[in-house]
Each structure stands twice: as C-alpha cells, then as structure tokens.
Amino acid sequence: MAPAFNIDAIPLDIDLTDDAALDEFLDFGDIEEQYAVHVADQFDTILVIDGVPVVDEGKKEKLFTVIRKQFGKEGVHVKDQPHGFMMPMDAATGKSKGFVFVDFATPADADKALKHLQYFKFDKSHTFFLNKFADVEKYAAVPDQWDEERALGKAPEYVERGFLRDWLLDAGARDQIAVFNKTAVSVMWGNKANGPDVIHERENWTEGYIAWSPRGSYLASVHRMGIALWGGAAMDRLMRFHHPGVRFLDFSPKESYLVTFSPEPLPMPTNPAQPWAYFARIVGNAKLAVYEAPGMGLLDKKSIPIPGITEFEWMPYTPDEDEAAAKDGAGKKKQQQNKRVQAPPYTIAYFVPQTGPDQPAQLALMSLPNKQVYRSKQVFFGLSAKIHFQSQGDYLLFKVDRTNRSGKASFVSLEVFRLREKDYPADSVEVKEIMVAFGWEPHGNRFAMITTSDVVSADLDLKAVLAGAPGKMTAHIYQVEAAVEKKGASVVPGGVKLVKAMDRKAVNALYWSPKGRYIVFAGLRNLQGVLEFYDVDATAGESNTATVTTSVNGKTVTSTKEVDPVQLLAATEHHGSSDVAWDPTGRYVMSSVTMWAKGMDNGVMLFDVRGTMLYKHSREQLKQALWRPRPPTLLPKHKQAKVRKNIKQYARDFEIEDATASSALSAAELEERRRLFDAWIQFRSRALLAIEAEDEIVTVLDN
C-alpha cells in the first residue's frame, strides 16, 4: 500500500534522500494502522451492566450474590470479591446509580455473558443491558454532530425511477398481461375485444422465466447470475440482485423483500436486526428454523424443536387490515368484531404425522415471536397433510390423508378451523374419494374441491388419476357457517355443509375469481380444455325460494321450491389448454396453451365472467402468460359501498363507452374492407385488360 501524500505540495528542489524532509509531506498512517500489533486489552474481562436495581449500601452484597448466581447458571465465572463487582454509589442519596462493573474470570467468560445474558429480564421492573468496558470509551468519543458523508461515504446520485404504478392510470381501467414466447417477452394491454395491444417487447428479456410481484410494481426476470427487476412507464431496469445459479424467486406480500433460491451454497449473514418480517424452513423433520428480516438471524438465536414436522404454512392475515378498518368509518363495527376473537397476526400452522399407536398426528397453530401453541388437535392414523389458509386468515383447512386402524383402507379428512370464533372451533368432513383439486373462495366462507372415484392401482397410477383421465370427476361446493348466539336462546353451532355436488365432470382444476362468488372448473391438458363457469351465489339479494304453480286433477296447487344458489353460466372449451387465470379485478378469465403442454396451437383465449369468449390470440412457442397483479384499493369501504349502490349508473356509462369503441372499430373494419375491395377491383380490371391484350396478340399471330 502506497503512503498517502499530496504530490503538488512537495517542492521541486527537495532532496529525495533526506528522510526527515520527506516525512513532512508523506503520511504513513494507513500503513502503520494496517501492520500495527494490537496487544490484549487489560479491560477485556470487564462488562458494564445497566438496568440493575437501585440499592443502598446494606443490600449491595445480597444483589451481587443474586447476579453471580444467575451468571453461574450460564456457566459464566465472575472473579471473587472484592474484585468481582464494583458499584458506584450516589453520595447524596447513599444509593447506587443503577449500573455495576463486573470483572469476569476470563475474556471468554465476558464474551459468553454478553452473548447469553444481553436483555436478561432480572425481574418485572429491571432488564439488563450489557456493554464491554472498552466500548464505553469508544461510544463516549462519538461526536455530538453526525457527519453522514464521513461515516457512510458520499451518497450516490438520486436516480428518478418514475411512477411504479403507472399502468393503473389507464383511462379504460385495463389490465396488463406479460407473455413469454420463443425468446421474447411482451407486455400488453388486455383489451376486451380485437386482441391485445403490445406496449413493450424485448428479445432475451429473461434467460429463465418471468414473474410479477404481488402488487404488480415489478416484473422479475431470471438470469444465470441473478434476478433483475423492471418497472415504470418505460419498463426500465430498476435493480439487479446477484445470485449465481438462481432457480426460484418469491416476493413478500408487500413487495418489501425478495427471496431467491439456488442449489449453490452462499454464506449466511449473522448480523442481528429488528423483526420486520419472518421466514421459515424445516430442518431435518425435527426443527422449524424461523428467521427475522432484514438481518436473517434466527429468532431467539435457535430453531424451534418440533420432532417429526413435515408441513407448515404461514397465516396470510396481517394487522394492517384492522388498521385500515380503523381509519374507515364503515369498517369500525367489523373491526370491533374481529378484535373480540382474532388469531395472533404472526401464526404458523404445522403438521406432525402419527409416529406410533399411541402418538396420533398433530395439527397445531403456533404464534410468533412467543412460540406459543394456542390451538391443537389430534388426528389418529394421519399420515400426511396439506395446509390451506383462507385469503384473510378467517379459516384454516388441513387436508389429512388417513388410514383405518388396520391400515388397509385409506381416506381423507378435512379438518376446518374457524379462526374468528372463540376457542377456534374445528369441524371434520370425511372424504372417501381421491381429492384432485382444492381452493378457498377469496374473501368468503366457501371452498371448492374436485374428487374422483377412480382407485389407484397397478393399471392406473396416482399421476394419471390426478390428471383426470379416465377418472369420473365430481365438483363440490362447501360452506363454513359460524355459530350463532341469540339472546334468550341456546347457541346454534356452526359447521361445514355441502352446498352442491356435481358429478360426471371432465374437470381436474378449479379457479375462484379473486373477488369471490364466481368459479371456473377446468379440464386441462388431456381433458381437452373443458371450461365451466359457475355463479355460486346466484340468489344473492333475492329470495332463495320460488313459487311453483301446478295443476293436479284440474285444481291449481301452489307450492314453494328452494332455488339452487349454484348456477352454470356457460360451458365451453379451449382445446388443449394448460393454464387458466383470472385478471386481478375478476372481470376476465384467460386460458392458455403453452409449448410445455402442447407443441402446436399455442396462444391465449379471453372470456368474460359469464364465459363469453371475447377473442383468441395465437403465440408460437408460448411459455408463459401472466396477468399483472394490482395493489389493494385505496378507496375506503364506505366509498366502495357507494359505488356498488350506484353500479347501474356506472354500468350505463361503461356500455356507452363500449358501444362507441365498438362503433369506431366497426367503422374502421368497414373502411378497411372497402379499401381491400377497391384494390381487388383495380387488380381485376388490370388483369382483364392484360388478358384481352394477350388475346389480340394471339389472334394477329394466327392470321
């Protein structure tokens, strides 16, 4: 390392062999600091403990004995008195000042105490704060005036990134679709008719795949050396994250964090940080490791022992929902109801299978950061499970694969927990068939599933059954009902009831509208692309009974009939389709045929909520087609209710706009047809003239 100096300050006539003269201009401080020999600190065995009780002279020794005993529990040794403790006293009051100097036997003991007893709660009123004695002098030397540039270096120049939610300003309230086909990625407007409008298209935009962030602010592209994020009106590259060999990525719900995974190992950071978010993973089917962001340190510096754990899921609920409700006058009543019975905001549901005849499977809910299991249930002969939370965290379902006592017969039990009710009651539903698909209704209390009566055998493996061929499928709609308390009457218990079962269906996948109520049952891949659109709340706002008049022996008989709330809106197909997705507003459904499922006829079809096809768009070698998500609405609940109340007026305005756009489109099409017709007439006239001229030449030659 070269010594630091200002070359312009050295006189031209200086004698370069004169060391004393050169020392006036040369600074060897950086070299001396680098190669300095640091001797052991004579104070490296002393810690300053703040937060100790204030006592008088007569109680000092008793306090020292209690503190020494606590250190001894951690295997930490304090020097014998009179050298072990030194507590400054206030001469005016005769009492201590709330801190004490502790001299440990070795530097290792001091370090161990600092690690294990930092923030130790001595009693209800006193918490220990430990610091090295040498650090006290260092922190005391910190200047009163903070010099950010000196401490952190010069801040990088601010770069304007534009408005990350620019697409939400579209006058037609259209949504965007990202399409990856061949080697190009396109971002386009999902128009209602006449196909999409491409607004951005780039070759080699990604080397792996693409993914939208949960609120649509970023488009992520996967590359060999890491992840790139794109956004803004021009879809500029906003940032890059270096992670060689990255395979998968995932965003946190609020887009604050991005998690990437690669088979190639990376060193784990160890710096502690405040818990802004949690991440978790299972370690060896014996522990659950929970990490705190942004430092990614282990919660309480150790994993949670849960022997046999095989599955876990985070509850999606966050406290922000109640905070938003508190600001909204119309949401205060619901907020009060939720606060009466509400699962802890940071909750993990986990499953432990049965490990012996007297050790049934465990279904449990654990809150963090206190690691308390506040609800559990035992299920006999439970072998495996899948965990499904409802989108708001109101309900939780464990799909448990079980056997009978002999182990010769298998079945599925659905264990449904109602997390907004006292004691979090649970209900069981037994399913004898194989479950193919499952999904909660967003923002609702219903769930749907698809089952098959086919039995897995040597001739028909489980993969073929789940694919839906040649199984006989049944689509089910269930509803979870809360317990009802009535004054002066007994409590009506809640439970899970079957709303409707539809058998003999050629479907193997289901897709709820993000707004609830509407659902699409689909037969993907080898089931030829069947698409069935349903309204599961067709009687909403109306009576669920209808009057039926019949004639019996010449007499008119009037009776009432219950109206089926589940109504089929449309049955159609997109042959060979492999994927189905709702747009974020719940207005449109997009089906697609990707090259991974079929080598030809790749492209997308767009349908409205009632199953009417709007257009078909072909894309050769289609790999992905993704709707761009939307962030949560900023419109308060009472204003949303006002919009719904006046929806008919808004609908008329939209119909006029659609008619105007359609008329303009029709006029443009008509003009294009006229242009083509005129071109055809001109071509035909020239062709006829050429033929007549050729005939005259032939006639002359013949003569």
Side-chain angles (χ1 to χ4, degrees):
M1 181 182 295
F5 64 92
N6 183 355
I7 193 170
D8 294 328
I10 300 178
L12 296 177
D13 58 349
I14 192 172
D15 183 1
L16 298 179
T17 62
D18 186 350
D19 293 339
L22 286 174
D23 284 345
E24 295 182 13
F25 303 97
L26 296 181
D27 179 11
F28 292 91
D30 50 353
I31 297 179
E32 292 172 352
E33 181 180 357
Q34 181 180 0
Y35 295 102
V37 177
H38 299 281
V39 296
D41 191 342
Q42 58 181 331
F43 300 115
D44 57 3
T45 61
I46 301 177
L47 295 184
V48 182
I49 304 179
D50 198 3
V52 299
V54 175
V55 296
D56 56 27
E57 191 71 36
K59 295 182 179 179
K60 279 176 54 176
E61 292 301 324
K62 184 177 180 180
L63 177 62
F64 294 163
T65 301
V66 174
I67 296 176
R68 184 188 294 274
K69 184 178 180 181
Q70 185 60 48
F71 283 140
K73 291 180 180 179
E74 298 292 336
V76 176
H77 304 289
V78 180
K79 289 181 179 178
D80 295 332
Q81 288 297 87
H83 306 292
F85 294 89
M86 200 283 284
M87 178 181 286
M89 305 296 289
D90 189 333
T93 63
K95 293 184 177 182
S96 63
K97 297 183 178 182
F99 65 91
V100 61
F101 298 92
V102 182
D103 195 359
F104 293 87
T106 66
D109 284 322
D111 292 339
K112 189 174 182 180
L114 185 64
K115 180 179 180 181
H116 295 287
L117 291 171
Q118 182 69 283
Y119 310 125
F120 170 72
K121 197 167 183 62
F122 184 74
D123 56 31
K124 292 183 179 181
S125 305
H126 299 87
T127 300
F128 286 176
F129 299 93
L130 283 67
N131 288 284
K132 290 185 176 181
F133 182 79
D135 289 342
V136 175
E137 183 179 358
K138 180 177 69 175
Y139 296 140
V142 174
D144 296 334
Q145 190 69 27
W146 168 251
D147 188 342
E148 182 175 345
E149 184 170 331
R150 180 180 178 183
L152 303 178
K154 188 176 181 180
E157 184 178 352
Y158 175 73
V159 178
E160 176 62 47
R161 298 192 183 279
F163 184 38
L164 295 182
R165 297 180 177 177
D166 175 81
W167 88 99
L168 297 176
L169 302 178
D170 178 60
R174 295 175 295 176
D175 283 289
Q176 291 185 355
I177 305 171
V179 172
F180 178 23
N181 71 298
K182 292 186 177 179
T183 59
V185 174
S186 306
V187 178
M188 55 187 70
W189 289 114
N191 295 322
K192 191 180 286 188
N194 202 39
D197 293 335
V198 177
I199 48 179
H200 304 287
E201 188 168 44
R202 296 171 192 168
E203 289 286 337
N204 303 312
W205 200 336
T206 182
E207 296 176 88
Y209 63 93
I210 56 173
W212 288 110
S213 60
R215 298 186 175 185
S217 302
Y218 309 102
L219 178 67
S221 58
V222 179
H223 306 270
R224 285 173 292 177
M225 299 306 294
I227 303 295
L229 297 187
W230 312 77
M235 270 293 162
D236 297 319
R237 188 177 68 193
L238 304 178
M239 58 192 79
R240 292 181 293 180
F241 299 94
H242 182 71
H243 192 175
V246 62
R247 294 292 184 270
F248 304 104
L249 65 91
D250 195 14
F251 287 90
S252 64
K254 294 183 180 180
E255 303 179 340
S256 301
Y257 300 97
L258 171 68
V259 178
T260 59
F261 169 79
S262 170
E264 303 174 16
L266 287 175
M268 177 66 68
T270 58
N271 55 305
Q274 295 299 317
W276 292 97
Y278 293 114
F279 302 81
R281 67 186 180 100
I282 294 174
V283 181
N285 284 5
K287 297 179 180 179
L288 186 67
V290 180
Y291 301 92
E292 297 174 291
M296 290 303 291
L298 271 174
L299 178 64
D300 294 337
K301 301 181 181 179
K302 57 185 177 181
S303 298
I304 305 171
I306 309 176
I309 182 173
T310 59
E311 295 285 337
F312 79 91
E313 285 290 338
W314 287 99
M315 187 176 73
Y317 168 79
T318 60
D320 290 350
E321 296 172 9
D322 278 344
E323 292 174 8
K327 297 177 183 177
D328 178 16
K332 287 182 179 179
K333 183 177 180 181
K334 183 176 180 181
Q335 181 200 12
Q336 292 170 356
Q337 293 173 346
N338 289 347
K339 282 195 172 183
R340 285 202 301 268
V341 179
Q342 177 176 300
Y346 297 105
T347 288
I348 282 181
Y350 66 85
F351 174 79
V352 177
Q354 180 153 338
T355 55
D358 298 324
Q359 294 179 314
Q362 298 288 327
L363 320 178
L365 292 118
M366 179 174 61
S367 61
L368 293 174
N370 60 7
K371 306 175 186 177
Q372 177 185 356
V373 175
Y374 62 88
R375 181 69 165 94
S376 64
K377 182 178 181 179
Q378 294 183 339
V379 176
F380 282 96
F381 309 110
L383 304 180
S384 62
K386 293 295 181 184
I387 304 172
H388 303 273
F389 275 102
Q390 184 254 12
S391 60
Q392 306 304 111
D394 295 342
Y395 308 101
L396 166 64
L397 182 143
F398 286 84
K399 176 235 170 190
V400 185
D401 297 312
R402 302 170 65 183
T403 64
N404 59 6
R405 185 174 294 273
S406 66
K408 295 180 179 179
S410 60
F411 64 97
V412 170
S413 69
L414 307 180
E415 308 295 331
V416 183
F417 292 80
R418 307 198 299 272
L419 302 181
R420 292 290 190 185
E421 298 182 41
K422 185 179 180 180
D423 298 327
Y424 316 110
D427 305 287
S428 295
V429 177
E430 189 172 304
V431 180
K432 295 293 187 183
E433 299 180 329
I434 297 174
M435 186 183 295
V436 177
F438 174 88
W440 279 106
E441 175 190 22
H443 309 282
N445 63 335
R446 289 171 286 231
F447 63 84
M449 65 180 181
I450 300 172
T451 62
T452 178
S453 58
D454 276 333
V455 179
V456 181
S457 65
D459 299 326
L460 184 66
D461 63 10
L462 181 60
K463 186 176 180 180
V465 169
L466 297 182
K472 299 173 183 178
M473 302 296 180
T474 302
H476 309 259
I477 304 291
Y478 283 87
Q479 181 169 310
V480 183
E481 297 181 334
V484 178
E485 298 183 18
K486 295 183 179 180
K487 291 183 179 180
S490 59
V491 177
V492 179
V496 180
K497 77 169 187 177
L498 177 65
V499 177
K500 188 171 185 177
M502 299 161 282
D503 59 3
R504 299 181 181 276
K505 296 292 182 182
V507 296
N508 57 3
L510 60 90
Y511 302 90
W512 283 100
S513 163
K515 302 300 181 183
R517 180 170 174 172
Y518 299 99
I519 188 172
V520 174
F521 288 101
L524 303 181
R525 300 180 183 267
N526 57 330
L527 287 188
Q528 308 306 314
V530 172
L531 300 172
E532 295 188 357
F533 293 73
Y534 286 89
D535 180 354
V536 301
D537 200 8
T539 58
E542 302 175 1
S543 174
N544 58 356
T545 59
T547 303
V548 180
T549 303
T550 57
S551 178
V552 180
N553 298 328
K555 295 182 179 180
T556 301
V557 178
T558 302
S559 61
T560 58
K561 178 182 178 182
E562 188 172 348
V563 178
D564 187 354
V566 181
Q567 296 291 328
L568 176 65
L569 302 176
T572 182
E573 70 174 37
H574 182 184
H575 187 76
S577 58
S578 55
D579 300 280
V580 173
W582 286 84
D583 83 309
T585 65
R587 295 176 295 174
Y588 306 109
V589 175
M590 177 176 63
S591 62
S592 58
V593 180
T594 63
M595 62 176 288
W596 314 117
K598 194 176 180 183
M600 56 192 304
D601 298 328
N602 301 146
V604 301
M605 291 178 68
L606 193 69
F607 302 85
D608 67 11
V609 70
R610 295 189 170 275
T612 303
M613 192 191 79
L614 302 177
Y615 64 76
K616 182 176 182 179
H617 179 69
S618 297
R619 279 270 172 164
E620 189 178 351
Q621 296 181 23
L622 177 66
K623 298 176 182 177
Q624 287 179 276
L626 308 172
W627 287 105
R628 186 172 193 173
R630 283 176 174 259
T633 179
L634 299 178
L635 206 61
K637 296 285 186 181
H638 66 280
K639 291 189 177 181
Q640 293 181 41
K642 184 178 179 181
V643 171
R644 283 192 288 269
K645 183 179 180 181
N646 301 317
I647 192 65
K648 291 184 178 180
Q649 177 59 44
Y650 294 121
R652 283 194 293 269
D653 296 339
F654 293 142
E655 287 170 1
I656 293 173
E657 291 180 7
D658 290 344
T660 303
S662 179
S663 298
L665 182 63
S666 299
E669 288 181 346
L670 183 59
E671 184 63 29
E672 178 64 13
R673 290 177 183 176
R674 285 174 179 169
R675 187 189 67 78
L676 293 174
F677 181 74
D678 291 342
W680 162 248
I681 293 297
Q682 294 178 11
F683 170 77
R684 185 173 181 275
S685 298
R686 290 195 298 269
L688 289 175
L689 289 175
I691 292 172
E692 291 176 359
E694 186 177 351
D695 289 342
E696 290 179 0
I697 293 173
V698 171
T699 302
V700 171
L701 292 175
D702 289 343
N703 293 333

